[in-house]
Amino acid sequence: LLSYYGRLNYSIADKYLLTATIRRDGSSRFAEDTRWGTFPSVALAWRISNERWFDSLQGIMNDLKLRVSYGVTGQQDGIANYGYIPVYTISQPGADYMFGGQPISTYRPEGYNPDLKWETTTSRNVGIDFGFFNNRLSGSVDYYDRKTRDLLATVPIPAGVNFDKTMLTNVGNMESKGLELAVNVTPIETPDWNWSLSANATYQHNRITTGDHMIDDRGL
């Protein structure tokens, strides 16, 4: 696996924030035509609490930031190192060939898929961070939308079209949408000790499309 990576961070008056990244990944687990993938991302944030007009709210709310982001990632884990080229492997015991009265091990071809390519996930996120009473009450709310294309999965294949009954291939897409909430509370804070509580909750809706089949899943 060979990767090139670049990142740019830019800030204006510590109020307007930009982070941009780009990855160029190459994996020898894919054929030469599909070996390389380019995965960009960008994130923008507005630190509202640093605006001058926000000073009048500092007695109650001391932190407020709005965030948006977009990014693409690639997946190649779980793939055999030589799944895209013909490979021969020694046969199992009992599949020997008798030659001169001696069992001789044979080699058999493994199934392979020359069209394997990167599984890609595109993510969009909108979030807000907040803090009240000198961060005695703080938290964040995030809404996200993820779309995964060319899912890598091992699926059954028709008999006679390859050298195995199942094959790793790019099949189907998946969509995930959800809402995440995190809250932190410090009800007691003294010079000697403090007591803090944290809670989080997530709602997610998944939809998987593979061929003519579609699966919906909702989770809390």
Side-chain angles (χ1 to χ4, degrees), residues 44 65-69 125-129 140-143:
L44 301 171
K65 182 168 71 173
L66 180 65
R67 300 176 278 102
V68 295
S69 63
N125 185 88
V126 177
I128 188 169
D129 301 325
S140 62
V141 180
D142 285 271
Y143 172 79

Side-chain angles (χ1 to χ4, degrees), residues 155-213:
V155 297
I157 58 175
V161 300
N162 213 296
F163 299 107
D164 207 340
K165 59 184 179 181
T166 61
M167 178 176 292
L168 179 70
T169 187
N170 299 95
V171 53
N173 304 315
M174 181 174 68
E175 296 180 358
S176 299
K177 297 180 181 180
L179 186 68
E180 295 181 345
L181 172 65
V183 178
N184 304 297
V185 182
T186 305
I188 299 176
E189 187 174 37
T190 70
D192 297 323
W193 69 286
N194 64 73
W195 175 30
S196 62
L197 300 172
S198 299
N200 62 77
T202 302
Y203 173 81
Q204 181 166 284
H205 176 204
N206 294 330
R207 185 174 69 170
I208 302 175
T209 303
T210 306
D212 296 329
H213 304 284

Side-chain angles (χ1 to χ4, degrees), residues 31-48:
E32 195 169 330
D33 292 341
T34 58
R35 180 158 297 167
W36 289 91
T38 302
F39 310 109
S41 68
V42 61
L44 301 171
W46 176 24
R47 197 181 297 276
I48 305 173

Side-chain angles (χ1 to χ4, degrees), residues 46-50 54-67 127-141 181-186:
W46 176 24
R47 197 181 297 276
I48 305 173
S49 54
N50 282 357
F54 194 86
D55 292 344
S56 60
L57 302 175
Q58 288 290 345
I60 300 175
M61 177 179 284
N62 59 280
D63 188 25
L64 184 62
K65 182 168 71 173
L66 180 65
R67 300 176 278 102
I128 188 169
D129 301 325
F130 57 86
F132 293 88
F133 314 115
N134 198 26
N135 283 333
R136 296 283 293 271
L137 171 62
S138 63
S140 62
V141 180
L181 172 65
V183 178
N184 304 297
V185 182
T186 305

